[in-house]
Coordinates of all heavy atoms in Angstrom, one line a residue:
V1 N -6.3 -7.6 -0.7 CA -7.3 -8.4 -1.4 C -6.5 -9.5 -2.2 O -6.4 -9.5 -3.4 CB -8.2 -7.6 -2.4 CG1 -9.3 -8.5 -3.0 CG2 -8.8 -6.4 -1.8
P2 N -6.0 -10.5 -1.4 CA -5.4 -11.6 -2.0 C -6.4 -12.5 -2.7 O -7.6 -12.5 -2.3 CB -4.7 -12.4 -0.9 CG -5.5 -12.0 0.3 CD -6.0 -10.6 0.1
N3 N -6.0 -13.3 -3.6 CA -7.0 -14.2 -4.3 C -6.5 -15.6 -4.4 O -5.3 -15.9 -4.4 CB -7.4 -13.7 -5.7 CG -6.2 -13.6 -6.6 OD1 -5.8 -14.6 -7.2 ND2 -5.6 -12.4 -6.8
I4 N -7.5 -16.5 -4.4 CA -7.2 -18.0 -4.5 C -7.3 -18.3 -6.0 O -8.3 -18.2 -6.7 CB -8.3 -18.8 -3.8 CG1 -8.3 -18.4 -2.3 CG2 -8.1 -20.3 -4.0 CD1 -9.4 -19.0 -1.5
K5 N -6.2 -18.7 -6.6 CA -6.1 -19.0 -8.0 C -6.8 -20.3 -8.3 O -6.8 -21.3 -7.6 CB -4.6 -19.2 -8.4 CG -3.7 -18.0 -8.1 CD -4.1 -16.8 -9.0 CE -3.1 -15.6 -9.0 NZ -3.0 -15.0 -7.7
D6 N -7.6 -20.2 -9.5 CA -8.3 -21.4 -10.0 C -9.2 -22.0 -8.9 O -9.2 -23.2 -8.7 CB -7.4 -22.4 -10.6 CG -6.8 -21.9 -11.9 OD1 -7.6 -21.4 -12.8 OD2 -5.6 -22.0 -12.1
A7 N -9.9 -21.1 -8.2 CA -10.8 -21.6 -7.1 C -11.9 -22.6 -7.6 O -12.4 -23.4 -6.8 CB -11.4 -20.4 -6.4
Q8 N -12.2 -22.5 -8.8 CA -13.3 -23.4 -9.4 C -12.9 -24.8 -9.4 O -13.7 -25.7 -9.5 CB -13.7 -22.9 -10.8 CG -12.7 -23.3 -11.9 CD -11.5 -22.5 -12.0 OE1 -11.3 -21.5 -11.3 NE2 -10.5 -22.9 -12.8
D9 N -11.6 -25.1 -9.3 CA -11.1 -26.5 -9.4 C -11.0 -27.1 -8.0 O -10.6 -28.3 -7.9 CB -9.7 -26.5 -10.1 CG -9.8 -26.2 -11.5 OD1 -10.9 -26.3 -12.1 OD2 -8.8 -25.7 -12.1
L10 N -11.2 -26.4 -6.9 CA -11.0 -26.9 -5.6 C -12.2 -27.5 -5.0 O -13.4 -27.1 -5.2 CB -10.6 -25.7 -4.7 CG -9.3 -25.0 -5.1 CD1 -9.0 -23.9 -4.0 CD2 -8.1 -25.9 -5.2
S11 N -12.0 -28.6 -4.2 CA -13.1 -29.2 -3.5 C -13.4 -28.4 -2.3 O -12.7 -27.4 -2.0 CB -12.7 -30.6 -3.0 OG -11.6 -30.5 -2.0
M12 N -14.5 -28.7 -1.6 CA -14.9 -27.9 -0.4 C -13.8 -27.9 0.6 O -13.5 -26.8 1.1 CB -16.1 -28.6 0.2 CG -16.7 -27.8 1.4 SD -17.7 -26.4 1.0 CE -19.3 -27.2 0.8
K13 N -13.1 -29.0 0.9 CA -12.1 -29.1 1.9 C -10.9 -28.3 1.4 O -10.2 -27.5 2.1 CB -11.7 -30.5 2.1 CG -10.7 -30.6 3.3 CD -10.1 -32.0 3.5 CE -11.2 -33.0 3.9 NZ -10.7 -34.3 4.2
E14 N -10.5 -28.4 0.1 CA -9.4 -27.7 -0.5 C -9.6 -26.2 -0.4 O -8.7 -25.4 -0.1 CB -9.1 -28.1 -1.9 CG -8.5 -29.5 -2.0 CD -8.5 -30.0 -3.4 OE1 -9.3 -29.5 -4.3 OE2 -7.8 -31.0 -3.7
L15 N -10.9 -25.8 -0.7 CA -11.2 -24.3 -0.6 C -11.1 -23.8 0.8 O -10.6 -22.7 1.0 CB -12.6 -24.1 -1.2 CG -13.1 -22.7 -1.3 CD1 -12.1 -21.8 -2.2 CD2 -14.5 -22.6 -1.8
A16 N -11.5 -24.7 1.8 CA -11.5 -24.3 3.2 C -10.0 -24.1 3.6 O -9.7 -23.1 4.3 CB -12.1 -25.3 4.0
R17 N -9.1 -25.0 3.2 CA -7.7 -24.8 3.5 C -7.1 -23.6 2.9 O -6.4 -22.8 3.5 CB -6.9 -26.0 3.1 CG -7.2 -27.3 3.9 CD -6.2 -28.4 3.5 NE -6.6 -29.7 4.2 CZ -6.2 -29.9 5.4 NH1 -5.5 -29.1 6.1 NH2 -6.5 -31.1 6.0
A18 N -7.5 -23.3 1.6 CA -7.0 -22.1 0.9 C -7.4 -20.9 1.6 O -6.7 -19.9 1.7 CB -7.5 -22.2 -0.6
L19 N -8.7 -20.8 2.0 CA -9.2 -19.6 2.8 C -8.4 -19.4 4.1 O -8.1 -18.3 4.4 CB -10.7 -19.8 3.0 CG -11.6 -19.6 1.9 CD1 -13.1 -20.0 2.2 CD2 -11.6 -18.1 1.4
N20 N -8.2 -20.5 4.8 CA -7.4 -20.4 6.0 C -6.0 -19.8 5.8 O -5.6 -18.9 6.5 CB -7.3 -21.8 6.7 CG -8.5 -22.3 7.4 OD1 -8.5 -23.3 8.1 ND2 -9.6 -21.6 7.2
R21 N -5.3 -20.4 4.8 CA -4.0 -19.9 4.5 C -4.0 -18.4 4.0 O -3.2 -17.6 4.5 CB -3.3 -20.7 3.4 CG -2.9 -22.1 3.8 CD -2.0 -22.8 2.8 NE -2.7 -22.9 1.5 CZ -3.4 -24.0 1.1 NH1 -3.5 -25.0 2.0 NH2 -4.0 -24.1 0.0
L22 N -5.0 -18.1 3.2 CA -5.1 -16.7 2.7 C -5.3 -15.7 3.8 O -4.6 -14.7 3.8 CB -6.2 -16.7 1.6 CG -6.5 -15.4 0.9 CD1 -7.0 -15.6 -0.5 CD2 -7.6 -14.6 1.7
T23 N -6.3 -16.0 4.6 CA -6.6 -15.0 5.6 C -5.5 -14.9 6.7 O -5.2 -13.8 7.2 CB -8.0 -15.3 6.3 OG1 -7.9 -16.7 6.8 CG2 -9.1 -15.2 5.3
L24 N -4.9 -16.0 7.1 CA -3.9 -15.9 8.1 C -2.7 -15.1 7.6 O -2.2 -14.3 8.2 CB -3.5 -17.4 8.4 CG -2.3 -17.5 9.4 CD1 -2.7 -16.8 10.8 CD2 -1.9 -18.9 9.7
T25 N -2.3 -15.4 6.3 CA -1.1 -14.7 5.7 C -1.4 -13.2 5.6 O -0.6 -12.4 5.8 CB -0.7 -15.4 4.4 OG1 -0.5 -16.8 4.6 CG2 0.5 -14.7 3.8
A26 N -2.6 -12.9 5.1 CA -3.0 -11.5 4.9 C -3.0 -10.7 6.2 O -2.5 -9.6 6.3 CB -4.3 -11.4 4.2
R27 N -3.5 -11.3 7.3 CA -3.6 -10.6 8.6 C -2.2 -10.4 9.2 O -2.0 -9.5 10.0 CB -4.5 -11.3 9.5 CG -6.0 -11.2 9.1 CD -6.9 -12.1 9.9 NE -8.3 -11.9 9.6 CZ -9.3 -12.8 9.9 NH1 -9.0 -13.8 10.7 NH2 -10.5 -12.5 9.5
E28 N -1.3 -11.3 8.8 CA 0.1 -11.1 9.3 C 0.8 -10.1 8.4 O 1.9 -9.7 8.7 CB 0.8 -12.4 9.2 CG 0.4 -13.4 10.3 CD 1.1 -14.7 10.2 OE1 1.8 -15.0 9.2 OE2 1.1 -15.5 11.2
G29 N 0.2 -9.6 7.3 CA 0.8 -8.7 6.4 C 1.9 -9.3 5.6 O 2.8 -8.6 5.1
K30 N 1.9 -10.6 5.4 CA 2.9 -11.3 4.7 C 2.5 -11.9 3.3 O 3.1 -12.7 2.7 CB 3.4 -12.5 5.5 CG 3.9 -12.2 6.9 CD 5.0 -11.2 6.9 CE 5.6 -11.0 8.3 NZ 6.7 -10.0 8.3
T31 N 1.4 -11.3 2.8 CA 0.9 -11.8 1.5 C 1.9 -11.4 0.4 O 2.1 -10.2 0.2 CB -0.5 -11.2 1.2 OG1 -1.4 -11.6 2.2 CG2 -1.0 -11.8 -0.1
P32 N 2.4 -12.3 -0.4 CA 3.3 -11.9 -1.5 C 2.5 -11.2 -2.6 O 1.3 -11.4 -2.8 CB 3.9 -13.2 -2.0 CG 2.9 -14.3 -1.6 CD 2.3 -13.7 -0.3
P33 N 3.2 -10.3 -3.4 CA 2.5 -9.5 -4.4 C 1.8 -10.4 -5.4 O 0.7 -10.1 -5.9 CB 3.6 -8.7 -5.1 CG 4.6 -8.6 -4.0 CD 4.6 -9.8 -3.2
A34 N 2.3 -11.6 -5.8 CA 1.7 -12.4 -6.8 C 0.3 -12.9 -6.4 O -0.5 -13.1 -7.2 CB 2.6 -13.6 -7.0
D35 N 0.1 -13.0 -5.0 CA -1.2 -13.5 -4.6 C -2.3 -12.4 -4.6 O -3.4 -12.6 -4.4 CB -1.1 -14.0 -3.1 CG -0.4 -15.3 -3.0 OD1 -0.1 -15.9 -4.1 OD2 -0.2 -15.9 -1.9
Q36 N -1.8 -11.2 -4.9 CA -2.8 -10.0 -5.0 C -3.0 -9.6 -6.4 O -3.6 -8.6 -6.6 CB -2.3 -8.9 -4.1 CG -2.1 -9.3 -2.7 CD -1.6 -8.1 -1.8 OE1 -2.2 -7.1 -1.6 NE2 -0.3 -8.3 -1.3
Q37 N -2.5 -10.3 -7.4 CA -2.6 -10.0 -8.8 C -3.5 -11.0 -9.5 O -3.5 -12.2 -9.1 CB -1.3 -9.9 -9.4 CG -0.4 -8.8 -8.8 CD 1.1 -9.0 -9.2 OE1 1.5 -9.9 -9.9 NE2 1.9 -8.0 -8.9
G38 N -4.2 -10.6 -10.5 CA -5.0 -11.5 -11.3 C -6.3 -11.9 -10.8 O -6.9 -12.9 -11.3
G39 N -6.9 -11.2 -9.8 CA -8.2 -11.6 -9.3 C -9.3 -11.4 -10.4 O -9.1 -10.5 -11.2

């Protein structure tokens, strides 16, 4: 369960890019621990 930090500040396009990066990295099993903290 990685999370997008400060998602409330992102535009629609920025949020779309963040979702792409998050899901791709997670499915590869390469999500760093920092991205899974603070949700």
